Amino acid sequence: MTTDPRVAVITGASQGIGEALVAGFRKLGYAVVANSRTIDASADPMVLTVPGDIAQPGVGQHIVDAAVERFGRIDTVVNNAGIFIAKPFVDYTDKDYDAITGVNLRGFFEVSRAAVARMLEQGPDPLGGHLVTISTTLVDHANSNVPSALASLTKGGLNAVTRELAIEYATRGIRSNAVSLGIIKTPMHQPSEYEALAQLHPVGRVGEVADVVDAVLYLENAPFVTGEILHVDGGQSAGH
């Protein structure tokens, strides 16, 4: 039985939810590999920062290779990085499409593919491997006030592949889950917008970053849960 710490790879880790997830996994005693397009080195020797744009081919493999070189293994991947652009469907540009699909789809694909391959190489683990992907409730509950077809196109696909991977690897010790978010207080939104955005949620408020971290860490510590799309959206997906 190894005494080495478990290792989590977190994308989009330089601010907001990703930065908080790094702190959350460290509190669990995990070593963390933190990726973002630009990210400063950490003073914590158990946090390895790996700058790189996951929309670019090869970057996902590079992150995984860096994790293995530094910590020797990978146990969890949190696919947190994402791009959200809300605009009418016909107003999306080719540049928008390339940016959103590059991060949301290629980034997920390359990081997760390389990580799962490594998890399989590591062999049986009583705690198993885990993929967690951040999604949006707009996939399930479209809103005419928030036109976001490319979010639905990409995140809807991620919800589907979350379930597929859960089944494909159910007997191989690797779980796959997603956290589907409503509006969360992050640098993506201005504080002046919160009051209006709160109306999107039946509970009448926007979510806190801590709500997301708690959900991800719940899934991390729930070995009988796989293929789950966990809604952290103040009731938005249930109706309004």
Side-chain angles (χ1 to χ4, degrees), residues 136-137 140 159 163 178-181 228-234 237:
T136 172
T137 283
D140 314 283
N159 283 6
R163 295 187 179 99
V179 178
S180 184
L181 303 182
E228 175 66 17
I229 312 297
L230 177 60
H231 291 88
V232 181
D233 62 8
S237 58

Side-chain angles (χ1 to χ4, degrees), residues 119-198:
M119 291 173 189
L120 293 171
E121 289 176 10
Q122 290 167 186
D125 182 336
L127 298 177
H130 193 200
L131 299 178
V132 185
T133 299
I134 302 300
S135 185
T136 172
T137 283
L138 290 168
V139 169
D140 314 283
H141 191 77
N143 188 316
S144 60
N145 294 316
V146 190
S148 50
L150 290 185
S152 294
L153 177 67
T154 55
K155 296 294 190 175
L158 294 179
N159 283 6
V161 78
T162 290
R163 295 187 179 99
E164 193 283 334
L165 292 173
I167 300 307
E168 182 174 347
Y169 291 103
T171 62
R172 307 287 295 277
I174 298 173
R175 297 183 298 122
S176 174
N177 293 294
V179 178
S180 184
L181 303 182
I183 304 297
I184 308 296
K185 288 183 182 178
T186 70
M188 184 181 296
H189 305 289
Q190 297 298 319
S192 60
E193 300 174 322
Y194 291 152
E195 184 175 352
L197 291 170

